[in-house]
Amino acid sequence: SLYTEKQTSRFQRRMLALQPSEFVKASSDGDSAKKVVVGGRLNELLNEHIDNLPACNDTSWILDLALDLYVRTCTAESSDFFLLHGVTSSWAMNQMSHLIQDKYKLHRSMEIALLCTYVVQGCPMIQKDLSYLGNSENWEDLVKSATAVNCSDEHVMKLVQVAKEQSLSDDRHLPEEIYREAAARVLNLSFRF
């Protein structure tokens, strides 16, 4: 197929399939080209319908959406590695958004990226009611665990830092326990790719 020839992961190939058709070159294989056009059309339809929705104009809300989605799609054994990146990239967007003039495009791009990541990851079940892993843990213990010598994964440290920082923000939109739960889950669960 068109994407399996490249050195990419399953996630990357699926995200490429959602690109608008003008970004994707068709291969000589008719079936692959057809799949590419369908994927491109899906992205175009998504953009067409999302553009009719009002933009939230609140980068902190998008960060909280990503955090809540990360927490609520964890299973008892694992958390989604790519949705974790949705949290850290939303945090980066939140940090630099004051430098961007066209916030509408910035927010819309991030909203679409989060939605596409959720879809590409197979639309993991979103838990309405949470059983908390780390409800009793305080931030000092969570940070200590994230910076421990045996915790060498930078993804864990970044998510704990982002969750703690957002929990202390005046712009937060979630209950405090969701932020601590995000930190507890990244510390205690394995990654699902």
Side-chain angles (χ1 to χ4, degrees), residues 79-135:
S79 68
D80 192 292
F81 185 71
F82 297 103
L83 291 175
L84 177 150
H85 282 87
V87 173
T88 56
S89 61
S90 295
W91 176 84
M93 178 198 63
N94 197 24
Q95 298 303 303
M96 61 171 248
S97 66
H98 68 281
L99 302 171
I100 308 296
Q101 287 184 339
D102 192 346
K103 287 187 180 30
Y104 176 83
K105 283 185 181 177
L106 176 70
H107 295 155
R108 186 61 75 215
S109 296
M110 196 64 199
E111 292 163 0
I112 291 171
L114 287 171
L115 177 60
C116 288
T117 301
Y118 177 74
V119 169
V120 163
Q121 287 302 95
C123 299
M125 183 186 303
I126 297 174
Q127 301 172 32
K128 182 178 179 189
D129 298 316
L130 295 174
S131 56
Y132 293 99
L133 293 175
N135 204 20

Side-chain angles (χ1 to χ4, degrees), residues 20-127:
S21 50
E22 65 267 15
F23 292 122
V24 181
K25 295 185 182 201
S27 72
S28 57
D29 176 351
D31 288 338
S32 294
K34 186 176 181 183
K35 289 177 188 171
V36 169
V37 171
V38 169
R41 184 64 184 135
L42 175 64
N43 185 277
E44 291 162 14
L45 286 170
L46 182 62
N47 279 320
E48 179 182 314
H49 292 288
I50 284 181
D51 281 343
N52 292 328
L53 298 173
C56 73
N57 292 322
D58 182 352
T59 54
S60 188
W61 181 85
I62 295 171
L63 171 56
D64 282 341
L65 172 67
L67 267 162
D68 202 33
L69 186 62
Y70 169 78
V71 168
R72 292 182 183 279
T73 57
C74 289
T75 67
E77 300 82 32
S78 64
S79 68
D80 192 292
F81 185 71
F82 297 103
L83 291 175
L84 177 150
H85 282 87
V87 173
T88 56
S89 61
S90 295
W91 176 84
M93 178 198 63
N94 197 24
Q95 298 303 303
M96 61 171 248
S97 66
H98 68 281
L99 302 171
I100 308 296
Q101 287 184 339
D102 192 346
K103 287 187 180 30
Y104 176 83
K105 283 185 181 177
L106 176 70
H107 295 155
R108 186 61 75 215
S109 296
M110 196 64 199
E111 292 163 0
I112 291 171
L114 287 171
L115 177 60
C116 288
T117 301
Y118 177 74
V119 169
V120 163
Q121 287 302 95
C123 299
M125 183 186 303
I126 297 174
Q127 301 172 32

Side-chain angles (χ1 to χ4, degrees), residues 58-64 94 165-174 179:
D58 182 352
T59 54
S60 188
W61 181 85
I62 295 171
L63 171 56
D64 282 341
N94 197 24
E165 183 179 296
Q166 187 65 3
S167 78
L168 300 172
S169 169
D170 291 336
D171 296 328
R172 74 177 201 192
H173 300 88
L174 298 171
Y179 301 103

Side-chain angles (χ1 to χ4, degrees), residues 142-157:
L142 291 165
V143 169
K144 188 183 292 184
S145 295
T147 56
V149 175
N150 61 347
C151 181
S152 61
D153 191 322
E154 67 276 6
H155 297 94
V156 172
M157 292 180 245

